[in-house]
Amino acid sequence: MSDYMVWIYFLIFVVLILLEMPIGTAMLLSSLLYVIQNGQSFVMFAQKTATSFASYSLLAVPAFVFVGCAMNEIGFSDRIFGLAEKAIGHIPGGLGHANVLASMIFAGMSGSAMADAGGLGAIEIKAMNEAGYDKGFSVAITAASSGIGPIIPPSINLVIWGFLASTGTVELFMAGVLPGILMGLCLMVYIYIAVTKFHVKAPITPKAPFKDFLHALWRGLPALGAPAILLGGISTGVFTSTETGAVACAYIILLGFCYRRLNFAKIMKILQETMSTTALTMWLCATGSVFNWMIINSGITKTLSDLLLSLNNEIIVLLLLNLLLLFLGCFMGSLPVLIMMAPVLLNVADAFSMSYITMGVMAVLNLTIGGITPPMAPSLFVSAKVADLPFEKTLKHIYPMLVPLVVALLMVTFIKPLTLFLPGLLL
């Protein structure tokens, strides 16, 4: 096939995206043109779609989506944030630190950045605004910390990467723990610097009496039980990734009924949201499988991989790959980019004998940064909407907050034990 035809298929895909066509449909149509142009069999569409739907690991996706929707609907977010506030709310930028810590805890249940930004984010932003924090700063922290959701297990994005790379989901989950904690610590360091050195408006909150902390801990224990059960089950091998999702669902439903926050109407709403989100995710997986087949056979993957690998320097290649992912993440959602770029990522990993686990965590972390980077920035838009603040007024605070996240990304990229140490303990 001539080289110019390779880029025509990719250009058609880009044009369809710019015309605001759904990404899954754009993938399918550009692949369809390739099949017609090259006389390929249409049986391939059915084969690739059936293969993607038959993946056992993807059974965990609706369970994790259900947990994220249920957490927002049932409303345990206030207990999570209350505990974090009582624990570290008294240090400079305390509610900002509590925001990050609460997101780390919430990440251990939902696995979704949007669930964090839309549910827990409302509680966090309200508390920070009432305490007198700069509204733009509050929104930026909430959006940035929501990116921890797809990293700390359980993670929907890591489940998808496990499917794409034929890598164990349990190992990927364990690989996300330290990078997720690192993201939180980097954000906390920046918050402290922003408040103490740059004098961002963030009034100091009085230190909570120990009695109040114990009360908040008691109220938050049920929420803390979910990540403890899930991480314990995964690390000990008691649960598979799919079973982990089922356990998370059972636990959150049990909590909802015990605290009388769940009824038939709420269950139906949660199920409706779960079905809608899961259908979209599975549609992207199905069309992405077809699209990946097209870009591999058309030579796009080989062309891009050869271009990167011609530099023959692992550090430079990984830096450029991160820049490419960051750029794509500014305009597209994380899952479409992850699916579209999977063949290139796997080729680069093979070329440098890099673990698929490290590559997957690096890519997912990278694309979560894209979730708060304009012009798309879905997590930032959601957080700004929750705060009833114009999107433009959040930008001066979100751009500096990218620095600690990029630092965390570079550390994950080049310090391999951050992603391989905990999975190694499972062997």
Side-chain angles (χ1 to χ4, degrees):
M1 178 182 297
S2 57
D3 290 340
Y4 79 90
M5 286 302 298
V6 171
W7 295 106
I8 285 178
Y9 297 126
F10 186 73
L11 180 62
I12 290 172
F13 170 72
V14 172
V15 169
L16 292 175
I17 295 297
L18 294 176
L19 293 175
E20 299 185 355
M21 179 174 287
I23 293 175
T25 306
M27 287 180 175
L28 196 63
L29 290 179
S30 56
S31 302
L32 179 63
L33 178 62
Y34 171 80
V35 169
I36 296 173
Q37 178 72 24
N38 294 277
Q40 298 283 344
S41 172
F42 285 95
V43 174
M44 180 276 307
F45 280 84
Q47 290 175 337
K48 294 297 178 182
T49 301
T51 300
S52 66
F53 288 156
S55 173
Y56 178 76
S57 62
L58 291 185
L59 286 175
V61 172
F64 295 145
V65 173
F66 179 92
V67 171
C69 295
M71 283 296 296
N72 286 338
E73 191 65 31
I74 294 172
F76 281 103
S77 306
D78 56 340
R79 298 182 179 222
I80 297 174
F81 182 71
L83 174 59
E85 179 186 358
K86 293 296 186 293
I88 58 175
H90 58 281
I91 61 179
L95 292 186
H97 298 301
N99 189 321
V100 175
L101 180 59
S103 293
M104 293 168 69
I105 297 172
F106 191 86
M109 291 174 278
S110 71
S112 168
M114 297 304 291
D116 187 334
L120 180 62
I123 306 294
E124 296 167 336
I125 290 172
K126 180 182 177 182
M128 295 177 75
N129 288 345
E130 289 177 351
Y133 277 61
D134 182 288
K135 285 189 176 183
F137 187 59
S138 302
V139 169
I141 293 173
T142 302
S145 65
S146 70
I148 301 174
I151 303 298
I152 291 181
S155 165
I156 296 171
N157 288 23
L158 289 178
V159 170
I160 300 301
W161 173 257
F163 159 70
L164 295 169
S166 299
T167 303
T169 308
V170 172
E171 288 80 3
L172 285 168
F173 279 1
M174 295 306 296
V177 175
L178 294 181
I181 294 173
L182 177 64
M183 288 176 68
L185 293 176
C186 287
L187 285 171
M188 288 180 176
V189 169
Y190 170 75
I191 291 168
Y192 184 85
I193 294 173
V195 172
T196 57
K197 303 298 182 182
F198 302 149
H199 306 294
V200 174
K201 186 180 178 182
I204 295 178
T205 304
K207 185 175 182 179
F210 187 65
K211 181 180 178 181
D212 290 350
F213 169 73
L214 289 179
H215 179 67
L217 178 61
W218 177 254
R219 293 184 73 247
L221 277 178
L224 293 176
I229 292 172
L230 296 179
L231 282 175
I234 293 171
S235 61
T236 58
V238 174
F239 306 137
T240 65
S241 59
T242 304
E243 290 167 348
T244 298
V247 171
C249 286
Y251 186 83
I252 197 66
I253 291 173
L254 179 62
L255 284 183
F257 280 120
C258 287
Y259 285 90
R260 298 181 180 179
R261 295 191 177 187
L262 200 61
N263 53 40
F264 181 77
K266 285 187 177 180
I267 290 177
M268 293 306 297
K269 183 178 179 181
I270 292 168
L271 287 174
Q272 185 178 24
E273 292 175 357
T274 300
M275 291 174 64
S276 176
T277 304
T278 301
L280 177 59
T281 302
M282 297 303 292
W283 167 245
L284 287 174
C285 287
T287 56
S289 295
V290 175
F291 187 77
N292 283 349
W293 173 86
M294 184 272 287
I295 64 176
I296 291 172
N297 283 274
S298 67
I300 294 177
T301 297
K302 185 177 185 303
T303 301
L304 184 55
S305 299
D306 289 348
L307 184 63
L308 286 170
L309 296 175
S310 65
L311 300 173
N312 201 30
N313 185 301
E314 182 177 359
I315 294 177
I316 294 176
V317 169
L318 290 178
L319 286 174
L320 289 176
L321 190 59
N322 272 311
L323 286 174
L324 178 59
L325 290 172
L326 285 171
F327 174 76
L328 292 174
C330 292
F331 299 95
M332 299 169 61
S334 58
L335 278 183
V337 176
L338 192 64
I339 293 170
M340 182 179 72
M341 289 295 295
V344 176
L345 296 174
L346 295 175
N347 283 350
V348 172
D350 289 337
F352 293 112
S353 300
M354 185 177 180
S355 169
Y356 288 173
I357 292 175
T358 299
M359 180 62 80
V361 175
M362 181 200 83
V364 170
L365 196 162
N366 189 309
L367 294 172
T368 63
I369 298 175
I372 62 169
T373 308
M376 298 298 287
S379 296
L380 187 58
F381 269 110
V382 170
S383 299
K385 184 177 180 181
V386 167
D388 194 23
L389 186 72
F391 179 75
E392 296 76 14
K393 291 188 177 181
T394 67
L395 297 181
K396 72 174 183 178
H397 290 291
I398 200 63
Y399 286 127
M401 212 158 285
L402 295 176
V403 175
L405 293 176
V406 170
V407 169
L409 171 63
L410 293 176
M411 293 176 70
V412 168
T413 302
F414 296 109
I415 305 176
K416 304 299 170 54
L418 283 172
T419 52
L420 298 180
F421 175 70
L422 291 181
L425 297 179
L426 300 177
L427 300 178

